[in-house]
């Protein structure tokens, strides 16, 4: 079976704040089958994470692109890779069956072909909505804990006290969102 796979790409590197015009919706045909024994599988993406760190990935150069393998520059015209939750729609991989819910690295697209060795794992939602697993509960198998990063940064590094002012520059993302909540619960004034 063939489908049209729609995906988001950047047109050019965005060295300033990205605008709608910096992005393009693209599409390409995709066959929902693989060669037998290929160890690949295809997922239909349900939720993707759009994190503040991706702003640096959209730039032609950022020091974070050199310091983290997860922050490499996005190539204009190609689907943007990210973290998300998906459902397996076809599989030649013995670890994943059609219908499995998985979480890990995929693309800002409707379907992602996951090559052998792809960084996805089965997901047990534990009764929580799947969308929680790309934010507050997400990314544990990749040592990219939103909650642990927020906790350590706020309590172990900043060590604020009740009544202090806390400025969260990226409160839209999963880490910044949690830092804001930690600060409010501690009795800080949050900006």
């Amino acid at each position: 079976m063939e489908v049209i796979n729609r995906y988001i790409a950047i047109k050019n590197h965005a060295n300033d704040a990205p605008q709608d015009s910096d992005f393009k919706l693209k599409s390409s045909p995709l066959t929902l089958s693989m060669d037998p024994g290929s160890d690949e599988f295809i997922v239909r993406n349900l939720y993707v994470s759009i994190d503040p760190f991706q702003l640096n990935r959209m730039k032609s150069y950022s020091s974070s692109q050199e310091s983290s393998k997860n922050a490499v520059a996005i190539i204009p015209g190609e689907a943007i890779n990210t973290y998300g939750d998906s459902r397996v729609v076809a599989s030649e991989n013995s670890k994943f069956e059609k219908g499995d819910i998985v979480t890990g690295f995929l693309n800002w697209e409707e379907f992602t072909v996951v090559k052998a060795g792809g960084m996805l794992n089965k997901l047990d939602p534990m009764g929580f909505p799947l969308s929680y697993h790309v934010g507050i509960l997400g990314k544990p198998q990749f040592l990219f804990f939103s909650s642990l990063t927020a906790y350590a940064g706020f309590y172990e590094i900043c060590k604020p006290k009740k009544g202090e002012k806390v400025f969260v520059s990226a409160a839209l993302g999963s880490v910044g969102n949690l830092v804001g909540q930690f600060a409010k619960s501690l009795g800080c004034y949050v900006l």
Side-chain angles (χ1 to χ4, degrees), residues 165-185:
K165 293 178 183 170
V166 175
F167 173 70
V168 183
S169 63
L172 180 64
S174 57
V175 173
N177 182 297
L178 285 169
V179 168
Q181 292 179 51
F182 291 155
K184 289 291 270 187
S185 69

Side-chain angles (χ1 to χ4, degrees), residues 94-114:
S94 61
K95 296 178 185 173
F96 301 98
E97 296 178 11
K98 184 177 180 178
D100 285 347
I101 301 294
V102 297
T103 188
F105 285 108
L106 41 87
N107 294 327
W108 285 9
E109 60 188 348
E110 288 186 75
F111 297 90
T112 298
V113 177
V114 182

